[in-house]
Amino acid sequence: MKIQIVNRSRHPLPTYATAQSAGLDLRANISEPIVLMPMERRLIPTGLYMALPPGYEAQVRPRSGLALKHGITVLNSPGTIDADYRGEVGVLLINLSQQPFTINDGERVAQMVVARHEQAELIATEVLDETERGAGGYGHTGVN
């Protein structure tokens, strides 16, 4: 699939780290370092603008290394970029650690996964069909 992208950052276009990677690395495009204090959230610009084809979305997800090592994650994970959005791709980061974390220009702050999706047609009804699970919710399938 080909995606049109405008790169107004000082960095190369996002790339897949390996041949089997699902996500493209997104980099911070900032003029000076940002210090993210504990429990602080900030929208980090990327300098990227794109036109996804209809029927696709881009999901902005945390980078596992930042989450494990520093407690930095994407707050609205996964963030969704719709096919008709033409604004700058931003990454909403939060610092869940006890330590300040510095984000530098060009740092990989998130990953973006492009995925196909469907739009559902909702049909109002009064009764749903029965299943073995029924209304069992959180923890319903037991503890193992």
Side-chain angles (χ1 to χ4, degrees), residues 95-117:
N95 181 353
L96 297 177
S97 78
Q98 303 295 320
Q99 306 297 321
F101 180 77
T102 301
I103 301 165
N104 294 300
D105 183 49
E107 186 164 356
R108 295 177 299 156
V109 293
Q111 58 181 326
M112 181 175 71
V113 174
V114 177
R116 179 175 274 292
H117 71 83

Side-chain angles (χ1 to χ4, degrees), residues 3-95:
I3 296 173
Q4 292 181 337
I5 189 161
V6 173
N7 185 0
R8 294 194 178 132
S9 79
R10 293 172 292 284
H11 312 291
L13 285 176
T15 59
Y16 294 100
T18 69
Q20 301 292 316
S21 294
L24 296 146
D25 287 328
L26 296 177
R27 296 180 182 274
N29 186 53
I30 51 181
S31 56
E32 58 188 42
I34 294 173
V35 177
L36 201 57
M37 300 304 289
M39 297 310 295
E40 183 181 8
R41 63 188 180 270
R42 293 279 294 271
L43 185 62
I44 309 301
T46 65
L48 302 173
Y49 303 75
M50 62 184 172
L52 293 165
Y56 286 85
E57 66 162 327
Q59 301 171 1
V60 178
R61 300 179 182 186
R63 292 194 63 241
S64 58
L66 283 180
L68 175 64
K69 297 174 187 170
H70 304 287
I72 306 299
T73 191
V74 175
L75 188 57
N76 61 328
S77 183
T80 296
I81 301 168
D82 294 310
D84 58 352
Y85 177 67
R86 295 296 183 268
E88 182 177 10
V89 174
V91 178
L92 182 55
L93 290 182
I94 187 167
N95 181 353

